[in-house]
Amino acid sequence: MINSSQLRRQYLDFFANLNHAIIPSSPLVPENDPTTLFTSSGMQPIVPYLLGAKHPQGKRIANSQKCFRSQDIEEVGDNRHTTFFEMLGNWSLGDYFKEEQLKWIFEFLVDELKLDPAKLYVTVYGGDQSLGIPRDDQATELWQKLFASRDVEAKVVEQAQEKGLQNGRIFFYEGATNWWSRAGQPANMPIGEPGGPDSEIFYDFGEERGFHKQSVFADQPCHVNCDCGRFLEIGNSVFMQYLKTEQGFEPLPQLNIDFGGGLERMLAAIHNEPDVFKIDLFLPIIEYLEEISGKKYQENTTAFRVIADHMRAAVMLIADGVLPDNKDQGYFVRRLIRRSVRYGRQLNITQPFLKKIAELVGKIYPEYPHVLLKADTIGQALHHEEQKFLQTLVRGLQEFEKQIIIEKELTGQLAFTLYETYGFPLELSIEEAEHKNFPLSAKIKEDFQNIKTQHAEESRTASTGMFKGGLADHSEVTIKYHTATHLLHSALRKILGNHVEQKGSNINGERLRFDFTHHQALTEQEKQQVEQQINEWIGADLPVTKQVMNKNEALEKGALAFFAEKYPDEVNVYTIGLDPQNDWISKELCGGPHVVNTGEIGRVKIVKEKSAAAGVRRLYLQLT
Ligand code: SER
């Protein structure tokens, strides 16, 4: 039976044979995308091209994209949710559409992977009158023909949520269920965001395994979108054809396909194994945990799954440059590590055990050689954070002892404060209180949960705001900042020297943050010179030109590349200057977009400069 590397290869070969260019995975942290902290689907880096920009590799693209979904952290523990995963994706940028997509993906699953077509079920868009978007009868007909070609009965049914499967194979769900955009359902999409109806494919592990009967949904009818675990979504074809505008939904200039299928989940289906944690991408971690805990996976699935998922994700995130921190992306890495330590204690692992996992994950992913190459430093980072948290737990215990003497009772609020401030888990608070014979307030778990939910809602509101505040309202501003990033990079190299290299950047509607290698703080004079230089270039109205060229040729011509190895062979090069061949001040490999002329930027000001890490400075720049 095939393993994950073979599946990845097979998928990419299949689409390469259909004339798709295979592009590398983008990093887990998107660059210059203020709308989101992480790359959480394969289409994210493709958005400009879905909107109509020309992709240097053509109109048919495929890849395996590393993804991280922070919103799923608490979901991990069942047999299929993971925070990190790889998404096998293929895109048509105004080229083929529904007919080819559904046919190809069906053939890939049935003929290439040899999945039994009788175990496949699909959903289609049910339409939404209020948006003026009809239900997807075309996809339904296409699916009927495809199943008929394999002698599989394919009845079309509605209202599966209320009425169950009804012997159907093709299901119309109400509008929002089969609609995909980065922001979710149509109502949540900001103006300027693309989206469209989709058609999901599910694999049936079989009623006889009893998933539904044993689940909390047992008293409701089972259907493909039921959460009992019988059906697993393995792929989603999005018909990316609408743009949200002030007036409502309008057709995009081109009809696009955005397909994404979870590598881990497809492999689980091939193995007819409902537990994704049993595939090769987790096995070495599970075996290691069994060895050091002396416990069996099968008897402790939740703890093993949480640690295996979280550590794989943390290692991949650190490999892509995110260190544990108390804010932004780093906050999630910290949470993943802390949760792993806590679940480790449930398995009676009290000694530090995380360091070794960096190497295990590196070996699992020869496709991402930078992980194994950096395994030592990643392991150190894990170990450091783990030790700090172990100390934190000790402090949490001390604080617990102090507070419980004052309050004489463990309340939901006290438990939450300990949890929030020290990461001290509710279960530990309860255990300690019982151990020391202090009473628990009557509804402690419920109170704790309510306070936590309220807290989570507040943070969610904040992150929704982040989505809206970014792309939609400030797209023009974002583009200006993006070009200013190139000017800043170039000015720093000119004034401080060519040892300056971009280490990262982040743009929101308010400012640009730029990290670069340099060993000391900038003097007032240096800051002024950099600022002046950028404003001079802006004042000179320099044209910004884009060329598509071979990567090596671009590098030979002096183009700068922030992480050269991650770019494909054909690249976009943005040059700023009067003549892109002989008279330029900046040349960089970059996905764009940029302003046409530097004059559009206005003026800039350096507002802050500080240290970001050893040998790395951080600079904040604003448009004035
Ligand atoms: N963007 C869609 C998804 O994430 C399909 O690639 O499901």
Side-chain angles (χ1 to χ4, degrees):
M1 210 114 31
I2 67 170
N3 63 26
S4 57
S5 291
Q6 289 161 328
L7 171 57
R8 200 188 282 111
R9 201 57 276 148
Q10 221 173 331
Y11 175 82
L12 297 177
D13 285 349
F14 183 86
F15 281 95
N17 280 332
L18 293 167
N19 299 323
H20 286 64
I22 309 303
I23 59 167
S25 172
S26 293
L28 284 165
V29 177
E31 285 156 47
N32 298 316
D33 182 349
T35 62
T36 177
L37 288 173
F38 297 104
T39 304
S40 60
S41 65
M43 63 80 82
Q44 245 166 260
I46 309 286
V47 170
Y49 311 106
L50 296 169
L51 291 169
K54 210 166 158 326
H55 195 289
Q57 304 277 95
K59 292 183 172 180
R60 296 183 179 194
I61 307 291
N63 81 351
S64 182
Q65 172 65 49
K66 294 178 280 181
C67 298
F68 178 72
R69 291 197 172 166
S70 59
Q71 65 271 31
D72 281 347
I73 288 187
E74 308 268 346
E75 305 280 332
V76 178
D78 65 16
N79 62 4
R80 62 199 177 284
H81 277 95
T82 62
T83 54
F84 171 87
F85 61 99
E86 271 175 274
M87 193 178 267
L88 300 172
N90 62 272
W91 293 276
S92 156
L93 306 169
D95 190 31
Y96 59 87
F97 201 47
K98 253 177 236 189
E99 189 168 349
E100 293 88 340
Q101 170 58 26
L102 297 185
K103 178 170 177 293
W104 290 342
I105 201 63
F106 186 74
E107 287 174 355
F108 177 69
L109 296 173
V110 174
D111 299 334
E112 286 287 314
L113 301 185
K114 310 275 184 250
L115 290 181
D116 179 357
K119 291 190 173 178
L120 298 180
Y121 290 75
V122 298
T123 59
V124 281
Y125 182 65
D128 188 333
Q129 278 187 348
S130 68
L131 303 175
I133 301 183
R135 70 177 207 173
D136 197 347
D137 291 325
Q138 191 198 353
T140 310
E141 273 169 38
L142 290 166
W143 279 125
Q144 279 178 306
K145 282 193 195 133
L146 288 167
F147 281 111
S149 74
R150 307 304 158 111
D151 294 326
V152 174
E153 210 190 320
K155 198 168 108 180
V156 184
V157 305
E158 296 177 18
Q159 292 184 300
Q161 192 122 15
E162 301 81 31
K163 298 187 182 162
L165 290 169
Q166 310 159 73
N167 289 321
R169 181 158 313 269
I170 303 171
F171 299 88
F172 275 119
Y173 274 84
E174 49 90 24
T177 311
N178 281 88
W179 177 274
W180 206 90
S181 84
R182 288 186 296 179
Q185 54 173 293
N188 293 346
M189 290 167 62
I191 306 297
E193 185 64 17
D198 68 27
S199 179
E200 299 182 331
I201 307 169
F202 293 79
Y203 181 81
D204 181 9
F205 286 108
E207 189 183 4
E208 66 282 2
R209 296 203 198 209
F211 280 114
H212 194 72
K213 272 197 295 206
Q214 292 154 24
S215 76
V216 294
F217 310 100
D219 57 348
Q220 297 153 31
C222 185
H223 58 112
V224 293
N225 273 318
C226 173
D227 265 332
C228 71
R230 170 176 166 188
F231 293 96
L232 182 69
E233 186 203 330
I234 55 171
N236 184 17
S237 301
V238 184
F239 310 119
M240 198 48 95
Q241 63 189 108
Y242 294 105
L243 183 72
K244 183 145 173 187
T245 70
E246 299 279 3
Q247 286 75 42
F249 282 93
E250 286 183 8
L252 279 170
Q254 61 193 37
L255 298 176
N256 304 293
I257 289 293
D258 159 30
F259 172 81
L263 172 75
E264 289 84 346
R265 289 177 169 209
M266 258 188 221
L267 199 61
I270 297 170
H271 291 220
N272 199 21
E273 168 54 74
D275 186 350
V276 302
F277 291 89
K278 289 197 176 158
I279 65 173
D280 59 355
L281 293 172
F282 289 106
L283 219 55
I285 312 177
I286 303 270
E287 281 170 359
Y288 166 68
L289 294 176
E290 285 192 329
E291 186 191 313
I292 54 162
S293 69
K295 294 192 184 301
K296 289 272 160 250
Y297 168 67
Q298 217 50 58
E299 287 143 27
N300 301 275
T301 48
T302 306
F304 272 81
R305 285 168 181 166
V306 169
I307 302 171
D309 168 78
H310 286 13
M311 290 321 295
R312 183 177 73 147
V315 170
M316 297 308 268
L317 284 165
I318 299 173
D320 277 5
V322 188
L323 286 170
D325 200 343
N326 58 6
K327 58 181 188 329
D328 301 338
Q329 286 92 350
Y331 165 73
F332 290 96
V333 176
R334 173 161 289 169
R335 254 184 91 192
L336 293 169
I337 297 173
R338 291 184 166 196
R339 281 173 53 92
S340 298
V341 173
R342 277 172 35 204
Y343 279 90
R345 290 170 72 93
Q346 279 191 17
L347 298 174
N348 290 341
I349 310 174
T350 46
Q351 292 307 307
F353 69 108
L354 301 184
K355 190 169 166 189
K356 165 96 178 145
I357 300 180
E359 189 195 331
L360 295 177
V361 175
K363 287 189 177 152
I364 291 173
Y365 285 105
E367 288 78 9
Y368 302 111
H370 70 296
V371 184
L372 192 55
L373 276 174
K374 294 191 204 167
D376 264 359
T377 21
I378 299 171
Q380 292 295 346
L382 294 176
H383 183 67
H384 181 72
E385 184 66 21
E386 179 179 29
Q387 293 228 300
K388 257 185 15 196
F389 184 54
L390 287 171
Q391 284 163 13
T392 296
L393 281 182
V394 173
R395 276 206 301 274
L397 268 177
Q398 284 168 351
E399 190 61 23
F400 173 88
E401 278 164 21
K402 259 206 295 208
Q403 294 300 330
I404 201 83
I405 288 170
I406 302 168
E407 300 202 12
K408 307 222 168 5
E409 178 192 46
L410 182 66
T411 60
Q413 182 59 55
L414 172 57
F416 183 75
T417 309
L418 291 166
Y419 168 77
E420 187 54 15
T421 323
Y422 298 96
F424 198 69
L426 172 66
E427 298 73 38
L428 275 190
S429 285
I430 293 179
E431 268 171 37
E432 282 303 305
E434 284 172 346
H435 182 64
K436 297 199 161 62
N437 288 325
F438 283 101
L440 310 178
S441 72
K443 290 184 292 172
I444 174 144
K445 286 195 178 165
E446 204 181 320
D447 290 349
F448 178 90
Q449 204 48 50
N450 286 341
I451 301 170
K452 194 169 154 205
T453 309
Q454 194 186 342
H455 197 80
E457 266 161 23
E458 281 159 16
S459 350
R460 205 169 302 127
T461 315
S463 65
T464 313
M466 176 166 174
F467 190 94
K468 290 205 186 107
L471 186 82
D473 308 334
H474 301 288
S475 56
E476 243 178 73
V477 177
T478 303
I479 295 172
K480 288 182 188 174
Y481 272 119
H482 190 185
T483 310
T485 312
H486 288 213
L487 294 178
L488 173 62
H489 193 185
S490 200
L492 287 167
R493 286 169 67 91
K494 185 167 174 207
I495 285 147
L496 303 176
N498 281 346
H499 62 278
V500 168
E501 274 181 31
Q502 175 171 357
K503 281 284 156 208
S505 72
N506 170 282
I507 293 169
N508 64 27
E510 322 274 294
R511 54 101 185 110
L512 154 69
R513 192 184 77 203
F514 189 81
D515 293 351
F516 59 100
T517 42
H518 186 57
H519 275 277
Q520 68 250 27
L522 269 65
T523 62
E524 267 320 305
Q525 197 196 1
E526 284 169 336
K527 278 191 268 184
Q528 263 179 22
Q529 283 175 320
V530 172
E531 204 179 83
Q532 222 168 8
Q533 178 63 74
I534 301 173
N535 284 324
E536 220 173 277
W537 284 331
I538 292 174
D541 274 345
L542 300 172
V544 183
T545 40
K546 182 177 101 173
Q547 285 166 291
V548 178
M549 55 172 107
N550 176 278
K551 175 163 80 176
N552 293 333
E553 189 197 341
L555 296 173
E556 266 161 39
K557 290 197 162 145
L560 299 179
F562 165 45
F563 285 151
E565 67 283 0
K566 78 163 201 248
Y567 289 94
D569 291 334
E570 285 286 299
V571 292
N572 282 334
V573 177
Y574 278 91
T575 308
I576 307 177
L578 292 173
D579 173 357
Q581 305 301 335
N582 305 308
D583 185 7
W584 48 266
I585 55 106
S586 156
K587 204 185 259 302
E588 287 203 33
L589 268 60
C590 171
H594 283 282
V595 300
V596 177
N597 193 295
T598 55
E600 287 170 53
I601 300 173
R603 281 184 76 77
V604 301
K605 192 171 164 46
I606 293 174
V607 287
K608 197 164 150 190
E609 192 267 348
K610 61 179 195 174
S611 160
V616 179
R617 307 297 303 175
R618 172 166 287 183
L619 210 147
Y620 292 85
L621 185 139
Q622 278 182 340
L623 300 179
T624 60

Coordinates of all heavy atoms in Angstrom, one line a residue, residues 479-485 487 534 538 544 595 597-604 623-624:
I479 N -0.4 47.7 -1.1 CA 0.5 47.7 -2.3 C 1.6 48.7 -2.2 O 2.7 48.5 -2.5 CB -0.4 47.8 -3.6 CG1 -1.3 46.6 -3.7 CG2 0.5 48.0 -4.8 CD1 -2.3 46.8 -4.8
K480 N 1.2 49.9 -1.7 CA 2.2 51.0 -1.5 C 3.3 50.5 -0.5 O 4.5 50.7 -0.8 CB 1.6 52.3 -1.0 CG 0.7 53.0 -2.0 CD 0.2 54.3 -1.4 CE -0.8 54.9 -2.4 NZ -1.4 56.1 -1.8
Y481 N 2.8 49.9 0.6 CA 3.8 49.5 1.6 C 4.7 48.4 1.0 O 5.8 48.2 1.3 CB 3.0 48.9 2.8 CG 2.7 50.0 3.8 CD1 1.4 50.3 4.2 CD2 3.8 50.7 4.4 CE1 1.2 51.2 5.2 CE2 3.5 51.6 5.4 CZ 2.2 51.9 5.8 OH 2.0 52.9 6.7
H482 N 4.1 47.6 0.1 CA 4.8 46.5 -0.4 C 6.0 47.0 -1.3 O 7.1 46.5 -1.2 CB 3.9 45.6 -1.3 CG 4.5 44.3 -1.7 ND1 3.8 43.4 -2.5 CD2 5.7 43.8 -1.4 CE1 4.6 42.4 -2.7 NE2 5.7 42.6 -2.1
T483 N 5.7 48.0 -2.1 CA 6.8 48.6 -2.9 C 7.8 49.3 -2.0 O 9.0 49.2 -2.2 CB 6.2 49.5 -4.0 OG1 5.2 48.9 -4.7 CG2 7.3 49.9 -5.0
A484 N 7.3 50.0 -1.0 CA 8.2 50.6 0.0 C 9.1 49.6 0.7 O 10.2 49.9 1.0 CB 7.3 51.4 1.0
T485 N 8.6 48.4 0.8 CA 9.5 47.3 1.4 C 10.7 47.1 0.5 O 11.9 47.0 1.1 CB 8.7 46.0 1.5 OG1 7.5 46.2 2.0 CG2 9.5 44.9 2.3
L487 N 12.0 49.3 -1.5 CA 12.9 50.5 -1.4 C 13.7 50.5 -0.1 O 14.9 50.8 -0.1 CB 12.0 51.8 -1.5 CG 11.3 52.0 -2.8 CD1 10.4 53.3 -2.7 CD2 12.3 52.2 -4.0
I534 N 15.0 56.8 0.6 CA 13.7 56.2 0.1 C 12.9 57.4 -0.5 O 12.3 57.2 -1.6 CB 12.9 55.5 1.2 CG1 13.8 54.3 1.8 CG2 11.6 55.0 0.7 CD1 13.1 53.7 3.0
I538 N 11.3 57.9 -4.2 CA 9.9 58.1 -4.4 C 9.7 59.4 -5.3 O 9.0 59.4 -6.3 CB 9.1 58.2 -3.1 CG1 9.1 56.8 -2.4 CG2 7.7 58.7 -3.3 CD1 8.5 56.9 -1.0
V544 N 8.2 50.9 -11.9 CA 8.4 49.6 -11.3 C 8.0 48.6 -12.4 O 6.9 48.7 -12.9 CB 7.5 49.4 -10.1 CG1 7.7 48.0 -9.5 CG2 7.7 50.5 -9.0
V595 N 3.1 49.0 -6.9 CA 2.6 50.2 -7.6 C 3.4 50.3 -9.0 O 4.4 49.6 -9.2 CB 2.9 51.5 -6.8 CG1 2.2 51.5 -5.5 CG2 4.4 51.7 -6.6
N597 N 4.6 53.1 -10.3 CA 5.6 54.2 -10.3 C 5.8 54.6 -8.8 O 4.8 54.8 -8.1 CB 5.0 55.4 -11.1 CG 6.1 56.4 -11.3 OD1 6.6 57.0 -10.4 ND2 6.4 56.5 -12.6
T598 N 7.0 54.7 -8.4 CA 7.3 55.0 -7.0 C 6.6 56.2 -6.5 O 6.3 56.4 -5.3 CB 8.8 55.1 -6.7 OG1 9.3 56.1 -7.5 CG2 9.5 53.8 -6.9
G599 N 6.4 57.2 -7.4 CA 5.7 58.4 -7.0 C 4.4 58.2 -6.3 O 4.0 59.1 -5.5
E600 N 3.7 57.1 -6.6 CA 2.4 56.8 -6.0 C 2.5 56.6 -4.5 O 1.5 56.7 -3.8 CB 1.9 55.5 -6.6 CG 1.3 55.6 -8.0 CD 1.0 54.2 -8.6 OE1 0.3 53.5 -7.9 OE2 1.6 53.9 -9.6
I601 N 3.7 56.4 -4.0 CA 3.8 56.0 -2.6 C 3.6 57.2 -1.6 O 3.2 57.0 -0.5 CB 5.2 55.3 -2.3 CG1 5.3 54.0 -3.2 CG2 5.4 55.0 -0.8 CD1 6.6 53.3 -3.1
G602 N 4.0 58.4 -2.1 CA 3.9 59.5 -1.3 C 5.2 59.7 -0.5 O 6.3 59.5 -1.1
R603 N 5.1 59.9 0.8 CA 6.4 60.0 1.6 C 6.4 58.9 2.7 O 5.3 58.5 3.1 CB 6.5 61.4 2.2 CG 7.0 62.4 1.3 CD 7.2 63.7 2.1 NE 8.4 63.7 2.9 CZ 9.6 63.9 2.4 NH1 9.8 64.1 1.1 NH2 10.7 63.9 3.2
V604 N 7.6 58.5 3.1 CA 7.6 57.6 4.2 C 8.4 58.1 5.4 O 9.2 59.1 5.2 CB 8.3 56.2 3.8 CG1 7.5 55.6 2.6 CG2 9.7 56.4 3.4
L623 N 3.7 55.3 6.0 CA 3.4 56.3 4.9 C 2.9 57.6 5.6 O 2.2 57.5 6.6 CB 2.3 55.8 4.0 CG 2.6 54.5 3.3 CD1 1.4 54.2 2.4 CD2 3.8 54.6 2.4
T624 N 3.4 58.7 5.2 CA 2.9 60.0 5.9 C 1.9 60.7 5.0 O 1.8 60.5 3.8 CB 4.1 60.9 6.2 OG1 4.7 61.2 5.0 CG2 5.1 60.2 7.1

